[in-house]
Amino acid sequence: QGCDPFAQTQRSKLQHRRARINQQINKEMRMRAGAENLFRATSNHKVKETVALELSYVNSNLQLLKEELEELNSSVDVYQNDSESISVPMIPLGLKETKELDLLVPLKDLISEHYGEEGILFEKEIKEFMELRQAMRTPSRNEAGLELLMEYYNQLYFLDSRFFPPTKSLGVFFHWYDSLTGVPSHQRALAFEKGSVLFNIGALHTQIGARQDRASLPGLNQAIDAFQKAAGAFNYLKENFSNAPSLDMSAASLNMLVRLMVAQVQECVFEKMTLLCAQHDFLARLQLAQEAARVEDVYSLVHQTMTQAHVKDYVPFSWTTMVHVKSEHFKALSHYFAAIALCDCPVASDAELPEHEKAFIQFHVTMPEGPSLRILLQDPEERRKLGKAHLKKAIMKHEEAMRIHGLCKILRKMDILQEVLSFAHKRSLSKYSEIDHEEDFFETGDAPDIHPKTHQKPEIKSPNFSQVKVTDLFHRLGPLSVFSAKNKWYPARRVHLMRGENGFGFTLRGDSPVLIAGVIPGGCAAEAGLKEGDYIISVNGKDCKWSKHAEVVQLLKSTGEEGVEIRVITL
């Protein structure tokens, strides 16, 4: 079952607005196409002027609708959790919307034409499939919702094998709306339906990841798992489905989404480290600084990807800004934790010194100017000087993050991000005033950047489709090895056989369906027109498509003097 489509949760209200905007965009685009055709076709100057005016209205309407959709895609706060703790918001994706699809007539026709069965006898299965499709349009935001999407995805494999012959189209169009631009696309290829469902599996994982309470370890581990699975779904889509007609499923867009998910995993890993780290441990603080530098690194890469020429036009501006803010924010944090390690952690004892030196050699991208490492680590004044340089850089980066945040109208409305940035900024400022001495006459140097390093590399977890077992809804048509869309056979023949002295005069082989392996020349079977390679599909009216070898032999043996009627097909 899907969610109740009329339940007024915050998320379903968003999804309803998305559906409404999608339909309006569709209508305006149809009007635009009509107006453009008329503009090209007419030579009447007056008509041309009227059409041009109409086109400018339509284009401005489309622009407004796209802005409304962008604001919708930026409503990240709706998807976050409700706990009291302050966490940086994560970016989730809205689900792709689709139109209803009526498969009753096309599938009944194909069952009659291709399989030679009464289409009307399969109405129950066709309706069951359509109900499953209807349910997967509104999956719940949990494991059950994911299983529903997976179940439908796996059913599409059977639908493809049964009803989509390689040479002929079923004549059905699959309509889906772009998740980022709202523009509708349609294709006859079932691959588009599969790819869109896979996109929604990834999108649902992002929503599950965003709603976790990341102030606790279990919540963080679940968020990491969800974002890794989202990255896996988008990556699988990128590698296995090319030529999708919508922008959100283009290789460039999917590449950006995979990188965004990996960055969100890396951010969760940093948060996990802050929960687990000992407070006044020098090495633990260095490790935190390097984790933060790693997060800054991956968000910088996402920001580069989002600002590429063909991607930046359709990625919401609030996403690009938020990613940019995060890269500056985590760079500030890396310098802040470096300063804390130097200023708040006790000076190393002789026993600890070699280990501290080893960690510190690999800590900076370039070695800081000034005294040797050993002196620096053992002299509190030198540590304070370098710590102060790191704090100065941290404060600059905090201010830059706040400046970029202020440029985006949508992000300015997001209190939670504002709080996180201003808290971090104030914390660095108060630390700076605490270690700043009035008699400091030295010029605070420029602290070198911190070498990014992580103790838990994000994994891209591909979807595990086998975890949701499904049975072929149309298994009554017979085993797929024979009864599939790609195979062709002559119409079924009814053959009446009488048992002769040597039995029926043929040998059988294999299971489901049983094959006639050999026909004895001059025997009853040969006279009745049976051929080697025929498949037995019924005996005396009993369907044998799925029967085992022994069951068919038993049915044939149990016939009396009136003989037996079998139905066979030839591929």
Side-chain angles (χ1 to χ4, degrees):
Q1 289 295 310
C3 285
D4 169 10
F6 301 108
Q8 288 296 305
T9 62
Q10 284 282 51
R11 186 181 75 119
S12 70
K13 280 181 193 165
L14 277 193
Q15 210 58 47
H16 279 313
R17 272 182 64 202
R18 177 184 294 280
R20 183 181 54 78
I21 295 169
N22 285 341
Q23 282 158 6
Q24 285 174 297
I25 288 178
N26 191 13
K27 186 176 139 195
E28 295 286 344
M29 285 185 73
R30 290 220 297 272
M31 281 171 66
R32 182 166 76 177
E36 282 172 345
N37 289 340
L38 182 58
F39 190 82
R40 281 195 290 269
T42 185
S43 53
N44 183 322
H45 193 65
K46 198 93 180 128
V47 173
K48 258 189 161 42
E49 264 182 26
T50 315
V51 173
L53 186 64
E54 187 58 41
L55 266 174
S56 70
Y57 279 135
V58 170
N59 283 331
S60 65
N61 280 349
L62 269 171
Q63 189 53 42
L64 289 170
L65 285 167
K66 286 187 175 173
E67 281 171 18
E68 198 181 338
L69 186 70
E70 179 176 334
E71 192 162 340
L72 201 69
N73 277 324
S74 309
S75 303
V76 288
D77 42 342
V78 170
Y79 294 94
Q80 313 300 319
N81 68 313
D82 303 327
S83 87
E84 291 301 304
S85 58
I86 297 175
S87 307
V88 185
M90 293 289 183
I91 296 177
L93 271 86
L95 301 180
K96 283 173 80 74
E97 289 280 339
T98 177
K99 288 185 182 176
E100 283 189 24
L101 184 65
D102 191 353
L103 288 167
L104 200 58
V105 176
L107 293 190
K108 272 167 42 177
D109 288 352
L110 197 118
I111 289 170
S112 306
E113 286 166 28
H114 187 76
Y115 291 95
E117 303 268 1
E118 289 281 335
I120 202 157
L121 298 176
F122 287 86
E123 274 194 2
K124 180 173 164 286
E125 284 93 334
I126 298 171
K127 282 180 176 161
E128 199 176 323
F129 178 82
M130 281 159 59
E131 280 166 14
L132 178 63
R133 187 180 192 273
Q134 191 58 19
M136 74 84 207
R137 293 173 69 184
T138 54
S140 50
R141 192 165 40 139
N142 52 23
E143 217 36 62
L146 289 167
E147 280 179 16
L148 177 62
L149 287 167
M150 287 273 202
E151 183 187 347
Y152 181 69
Y153 184 89
N154 287 345
Q155 261 323 330
L156 289 175
Y157 161 76
F158 291 116
L159 195 79
D160 196 10
S161 310
R162 296 275 188 204
F163 300 114
F164 284 79
T167 50
K168 182 175 166 239
S169 156
L170 191 59
V172 177
F173 280 103
F174 297 101
H175 292 261
W176 287 85
Y177 292 93
D178 190 301
S179 167
L180 298 173
T181 63
V183 173
S185 307
H186 61 268
Q187 268 193 353
R188 284 194 171 128
L190 193 68
F192 183 40
E193 177 91 346
K194 279 183 175 173
S196 300
V197 174
L198 193 54
F199 185 95
N200 276 357
I201 289 173
L204 196 57
H205 276 302
T206 69
Q207 295 183 9
I208 290 170
R211 81 180 300 189
Q212 300 305 324
D213 176 8
R214 303 200 316 276
S216 69
L217 265 182
L220 273 169
N221 286 329
Q222 280 166 327
I224 288 173
D225 185 56
F227 290 128
Q228 289 186 149
K229 283 177 175 167
F234 296 133
N235 198 49
Y236 186 87
L237 189 54
K238 185 181 80 175
E239 287 173 357
N240 293 284
F241 294 86
S242 50
N243 308 326
S246 64
L247 273 174
D248 55 359
M249 285 158 66
S250 66
S253 177
L254 292 168
N255 187 40
M256 176 271 291
L257 290 174
V258 172
R259 285 179 174 176
L260 174 61
M261 294 311 131
V262 167
Q264 299 197 142
V265 172
Q266 199 72 67
E267 186 176 345
C268 292
V269 170
F270 168 79
E271 291 175 333
K272 191 171 159 183
M273 286 290 297
T274 55
L275 281 185
L276 296 172
C277 264
Q279 274 297 320
H280 290 296
D281 180 46
F282 179 72
L283 295 175
R285 298 285 122 182
L286 291 190
Q287 201 180 354
L288 260 184
Q290 291 191 301
E291 284 286 354
R294 177 75 191 135
V295 181
E296 182 253 331
D297 223 26
V298 286
Y299 272 122
S300 291
L301 180 64
V302 179
H303 186 247
Q304 270 172 26
T305 318
M306 283 183 173
T307 47
Q308 279 170 357
H310 44 292
V311 182
K312 73 165 187 277
D313 299 334
Y314 57 87
V315 172
F317 178 59
S318 61
W319 288 15
T320 316
T321 312
M322 194 191 256
V323 162
H324 195 182
V325 165
K326 283 189 178 190
S327 74
E328 296 293 342
H329 173 66
F330 280 98
K331 188 165 188 122
L333 289 186
S334 70
H335 285 287
Y336 170 78
F337 283 112
I340 293 295
L342 289 162
C343 302
D344 283 10
C345 299
V347 174
S349 65
D350 291 345
E352 293 169 330
L353 195 61
E355 200 185 351
H356 283 204
E357 267 188 85
K358 188 180 163 201
F360 210 68
I361 280 176
Q362 299 162 353
F363 181 68
H364 290 101
V365 176
T366 53
M367 280 307 289
E369 292 168 6
S372 70
L373 259 192
R374 182 156 285 217
I375 294 170
L376 189 141
L377 286 175
Q378 287 183 303
D379 180 350
E381 183 53 23
E382 287 300 335
R383 283 172 74 133
R384 183 180 74 84
K385 273 187 190 172
L386 182 57
K388 195 172 166 187
H390 275 299
L391 275 175
K392 182 179 158 190
K393 203 155 192 179
I395 291 163
M396 276 163 57
K397 288 291 163 191
H398 284 308
E399 284 165 0
E400 181 60 6
M402 289 159 80
R403 184 189 71 78
I404 297 163
H405 173 268
L407 296 176
C408 177
K409 185 176 85 197
I410 293 170
L411 287 193
R412 284 203 302 272
K413 292 181 194 165
M414 208 181 292
D415 304 339
I416 187 165
L417 187 56
Q418 184 88 41
E419 272 181 68
V420 172
L421 297 177
S422 105
F423 168 78
H425 180 230
K426 283 175 186 157
R427 185 176 63 175
S428 292
L429 280 174
S430 79
K431 190 79 218 161
Y432 188 84
S433 59
E434 182 190 315
I435 64 164
D436 185 27
H437 293 174
E438 279 179 14
E439 62 274 14
D440 279 356
F441 292 117
F442 60 85
E443 179 68 37
T444 306
D446 188 26
D449 277 338
I450 287 121
H451 191 66
K453 188 179 171 189
T454 181
H455 80 295
Q456 183 182 338
K457 281 191 80 167
E459 272 179 80
I460 293 178
K461 288 189 178 177
S462 286
N464 177 13
F465 299 111
S466 61
Q467 75 187 37
V468 178
K469 299 277 179 277
V470 299
T471 51
D472 176 7
L473 286 175
F474 297 92
H475 77 280
R476 283 199 297 137
L477 289 171
L480 263 176
S481 55
V482 174
F483 301 94
S484 68
K486 68 173 189 286
N487 287 336
K488 290 199 171 88
W489 49 87
Y490 295 103
R493 313 195 302 284
R494 286 180 193 280
V495 178
H496 195 83
L497 293 178
M498 304 296 287
R499 193 196 296 274
E501 292 167 18
N502 303 327
F504 291 111
F506 59 72
T507 53
L508 299 177
R509 187 180 78 223
D511 291 326
S512 333
V514 173
L515 178 80
I516 295 177
V519 178
I520 297 161
C524 316
E527 281 175 25
L530 285 183
K531 295 196 280 293
E532 192 180 312
D534 281 351
Y535 288 102
I536 296 179
I537 59 172
S538 77
V539 175
N540 281 340
K542 182 179 181 337
D543 193 305
C544 294
K545 294 191 194 92
W546 287 97
S547 300
K548 296 272 185 273
H549 185 275
E551 291 166 354
V552 174
V553 170
Q554 191 55 45
L555 283 171
L556 292 169
K557 275 184 177 172
S558 63
T559 53
E561 289 173 8
E562 72 282 355
V564 62
E565 185 175 276
I566 63 174
R567 280 175 77 223
V568 292
I569 57 161
T570 312
L571 278 186

